[in-house]
Amino acid sequence: MTGAEHFAAPPEWQWWILGYFFFGGLAGGSYALGTLLRFGGDPRDELAARIAFIASFIALIPCPIFLTVDLGQPLRFWHMLLDTGPDGGLAFKPWSPMSLGSWALLAFGLFSFVSFVGALAEGGQLRAASGLARALRGGAGLAWNAIGTVLGLFICAYTGVLLAVSNQAVWSDAAWALGGMFLASALAGATALLLFLGRSRRDVDADTAYRLEVADRYFVLLEALLIAIFLVTVAVAGTIAKVLGVWIVLWLVVLLGLAAPFLSARARTWPPLAAPLLALLGVLALRALVIFSAQT
Amino acid sequence: MAAFQEKPLGFFTDTSICIGCKACEVACKEWNQLEGNAPKFTADSFDNTGQLDAQNWRHVQFVEQVPDNTGLIPTPTPIAGGQAWLMMSDVCKHCKEASCLEVCPTNAIMRTEFDTVFIQSDVCNGCRNCISACPYGVIGFDEQKGVAQKCTLCYDRLQIGMQPACAKACPTESIKFGYVDDLHQVADQRLAALQQAGYKKAQLYGRDTKVYGGLNAFFLLMDKPEVYSLPNEANATLPSRNNLPGYVGGVATAVIGLIAGLVAFRNGRMNGNGPNNTRPHA
Ligand code: SF4
Ligand code: SF4
């Protein structure tokens, strides 16, 4: 079997896009975790759920800023949504992940914001919105969070699909793996972020923290599996050399991030914030090497 | 001048008679007011343009398969006794199924009444998704204007019945312009003549529908497409082919991830596991 041929030019997506992929993943992953904790856990997990919803929205704030700054014409950011050409109407192309992602980001922003306000109200920091907090508790809340979670997980994954829907080496060779790999790493990253915040605050239920550590290890295993699929697919396409070489350094950071939750669980002498920080660094490194290696 | 009919218009670039004079590059820059990139001294090639990009909408490629210092030919091409010096004036192919048009989120890239592919610079917001998608490395990002740019097939000239500047300037008529149906016939005759003369590797690229549904700017090549940095049929694929596998992979991972999360949050608790399980279970 001969490898894939690529003659496409690099789009020069650099640091802003890396920042978006990182924070977008944390925002979507945190939202999903908040939902799982609120509706899948028990009342003791509620504080962690609230932290997750708050973290989700705060992580989301830089996303549209980074995306806008990255444009050649930042003031035309709204052209992603409205067609300013002769046809007019909405600029909505479901087969273009960038188009679909722009709409998803807008919709997820709404869900994340409402859940953020609800979480603040629930925690007593925004009493004016206590009605909203009550509304988000029952069946309506479950529906709201379920839709928000679907959107959040979409934000985690579509960035990988966006890279794959191209003719670039590596990206277009790893279509089966990229979306899932970014999603799994976003879930692992969001769990690490929640553990980091929980351990910094010291008021999250110890049992909740334990469950989060267990979930973290599951997510990391899933991520490792998808990284393996990614490497196999680019090897089959004959483009694996692009992600090796100098990029080995970043792979080591990724590996350390994957290993950190397991190593820290075995040797409880680790400083409490070390493992989550290493995991977050690994999430960043994974995205950096996928984005940059294909374009060099 | 009579305006053109609203039928597919395009180029037939016959590389067998290109002499590498770059008149097409110059004419294109003049008409389209492209400043060009800062000149670079490459020292190892007659190609000092480098590639198609925001400033180079025509690029004369030099495939310099001549013997190196040791007398060896790195990648021999048996069209001239084992040595070849191929030239091709490369350009946007105005694909019938265009990868760039497919992904552009703002609809800045449109198909004109002449079936050509045109970037509306007042709609483009410089996201560069089209650059990632074009399999030929045609589109470039103009740092000054903040938008993507490429050959327009001189859309402004077409609208007033003038042929594109590059075709008009080409002294050997390597670049032929016209209705695509007519160009196909010219190309077929030229290919037959070359093959009769013994150029067995001569072939048309983009003449039929096997590459992106057909290219409105198609080529006569003297060797395999890969030699000219053109993807062969097997590799001429649209970006959208990866939507399905991409989303399927994402959905499968999401389902497994959610189940894993639920197991972690519920299962252990129901079993009474955990380091701090002194309180009643939920
Ligand atoms: S060659 Fe590239 S830029 Fe030109 S129409 Fe085809 S995909 Fe678009
Ligand atoms: S850079 Fe412009 S033309 Fe290219 S995809 Fe983005 S909006 Fe469309």
Side-chain angles (χ1 to χ4, degrees):
Chain A
M1 178 172 175
T2 52
E5 290 174 348
H6 298 282
F7 302 106
E12 305 294 347
W13 288 331
Q14 308 280 347
W15 298 100
W16 296 117
I17 297 304
L18 172 62
Y20 167 59
F21 281 19
F22 179 68
F23 284 106
L26 291 184
S30 296
Y31 197 96
L33 274 188
T35 304
L36 282 174
L37 285 164
R38 177 167 286 172
F39 294 102
D42 80 2
R44 283 172 282 161
D45 299 330
E46 185 49 32
L47 175 61
R50 285 207 304 273
I51 297 173
F53 288 125
I54 292 169
S56 166
F57 183 68
I58 291 175
L60 192 63
I61 291 172
C63 293
I65 299 170
F66 288 175
L67 285 176
T68 301
V69 173
D70 182 70
L71 295 175
Q73 288 278 351
L75 293 179
R76 295 185 188 163
F77 69 93
W78 56 279
H79 289 201
M80 291 291 186
L81 305 173
L82 296 179
D83 188 337
T84 58
D87 293 342
L90 298 180
F92 180 62
K93 287 164 87 164
W95 57 90
S96 164
M98 191 178 278
S99 174
L100 201 54
S102 303
W103 284 98
L105 193 61
L106 187 73
F108 180 59
L110 173 72
F111 279 81
S112 183
F113 176 69
V114 169
S115 295
F116 164 77
V117 172
L120 286 182
E122 193 93 35
Q125 289 116 318
L126 197 68
R127 294 201 186 282
S130 53
L132 176 72
R134 268 195 306 280
L136 287 177
R137 279 277 178 103
L142 177 59
W144 182 265
N145 282 23
I147 299 170
T149 297
V150 169
L151 288 168
L153 291 176
F154 181 86
I155 296 297
C156 300
Y158 95 92
T159 47
V161 184
L162 187 155
L163 296 184
V165 176
S166 70
N167 274 306
Q168 298 288 317
V170 179
W171 299 347
S172 63
D173 299 328
W176 287 98
L178 270 184
M181 186 171 86
F182 279 4
L183 189 144
S185 121
L187 284 174
T191 316
L193 177 67
L194 202 51
L195 281 168
F196 178 86
L197 295 172
R199 287 177 188 167
S200 308
R201 296 167 51 112
R202 296 164 189 265
D203 56 354
V204 169
D205 183 87
D207 197 41
T208 303
Y210 173 74
R211 309 291 157 209
L212 277 170
E213 286 172 14
V214 173
D216 192 23
R217 293 198 285 273
Y218 290 161
F219 296 148
V220 164
L221 286 176
L222 187 59
E223 182 185 352
L225 174 70
L226 279 143
I227 289 176
I229 297 172
F230 167 76
L231 289 172
V232 168
T233 49
V234 291
V236 168
T239 46
I240 194 164
K242 284 197 84 113
V243 298
L244 299 177
V246 291
W247 306 107
I248 297 279
V249 179
L250 286 182
W251 279 117
L252 290 176
V253 180
V254 173
L255 270 181
L256 195 59
L258 291 175
F262 296 95
L263 295 177
S264 70
R266 285 169 68 99
R268 290 261 167 201
T269 49
W270 278 42
L273 301 184
L277 271 180
L278 285 174
L280 284 168
L281 216 55
V283 169
L284 186 66
L286 180 67
R287 283 158 176 73
L289 82 84
V290 170
I291 293 172
F292 296 134
S293 68
Q295 297 185 79
T296 47
Chain B
M1 239 170 279
F4 292 106
Q5 295 171 44
E6 293 189 5
K7 291 198 322 189
L9 283 168
F11 293 126
F12 163 45
T13 305
D14 178 353
T15 68
S16 71
I17 49 172
C18 175
I19 55 170
C21 69
K22 304 182 192 173
C24 50
E25 286 191 15
V26 175
C28 174
K29 286 196 177 66
E30 290 238 329
W31 178 260
N32 292 298
Q33 299 179 354
L34 302 170
E35 281 181 19
N37 300 320
K40 265 191 276 181
F41 180 59
T42 53
D44 61 354
S45 172
F46 278 79
D47 179 359
N48 53 4
T49 308
Q51 69 281 312
L52 289 167
D53 57 29
Q55 293 298 317
N56 298 300
W57 297 359
R58 271 272 176 195
H59 164 226
V60 182
Q61 257 192 45
F62 287 75
V63 182
E64 287 146 332
Q65 296 176 344
V66 287
D68 63 17
N69 291 342
T70 63
L72 295 172
I73 304 159
T75 45
T77 303
I79 69 157
Q83 298 174 20
W85 197 21
L86 305 177
M87 290 146 215
M88 176 184 86
S89 179
D90 200 6
V91 72
C92 169
K93 320 299 181 280
H94 296 275
C95 313
K96 297 254 184 219
E97 292 164 9
S99 305
C100 59
L101 193 149
E102 190 175 62
V103 301
C104 174
T106 63
N107 289 330
I109 304 187
M110 57 169 275
R111 197 166 286 285
T112 71
E113 63 274 34
F114 306 117
D115 204 34
T116 59
V117 177
F118 179 75
I119 302 180
Q120 303 169 83
S121 58
D122 58 333
V123 179
C124 171
N125 65 11
C127 71
R128 312 188 294 290
N129 206 10
C130 52
I131 299 177
S132 172
C134 172
Y136 297 106
V138 162
I139 306 180
F141 177 67
D142 187 309
E143 298 281 350
Q144 260 88 48
K145 296 185 193 142
V147 294
Q149 292 193 154
K150 70 165 190 77
C151 160
T152 65
L153 213 130
C154 283
Y155 188 37
D156 48 352
R157 291 171 67 101
L158 298 189
Q159 285 166 317
I160 53 170
M162 288 168 72
Q163 66 169 313
C166 56
K168 188 165 169 69
C170 176
T172 65
E173 295 186 4
S174 170
I175 301 173
K176 295 174 178 62
F177 164 79
Y179 292 111
V180 173
D181 287 344
D182 300 342
L183 292 175
H184 282 168
Q185 289 177 20
V186 175
D188 292 343
Q189 285 165 11
R190 176 67 183 152
L191 178 67
L194 277 172
Q195 287 189 330
Q196 213 173 16
Y199 293 102
K200 295 293 177 216
K201 282 197 156 190
Q203 56 191 281
L204 296 177
Y205 181 80
R207 152 77 173 85
D208 55 27
T209 54
K210 290 183 187 147
V211 175
Y212 295 112
L215 307 176
N216 285 331
F218 66 102
F219 298 83
L220 187 151
L221 307 177
M222 299 305 283
D223 205 333
K224 292 181 298 191
E226 298 92 310
V227 170
Y228 298 86
S229 301
L230 301 168
N232 59 24
E233 279 168 35
N235 285 284
T237 42
L238 284 165
S240 59
R241 74 192 182 282
N242 282 338
N243 268 314
L244 186 67
Y247 288 124
V248 167
V251 169
T253 310
V255 170
I256 298 171
L258 288 176
I259 293 172
L262 275 177
V263 168
F265 294 144
R266 290 197 82 94
N267 213 18
R269 207 181 303 273
M270 282 188 278
N271 294 340
N273 295 335
N276 189 22
N277 227 327
T278 51
R279 291 153 302 174
H281 294 174

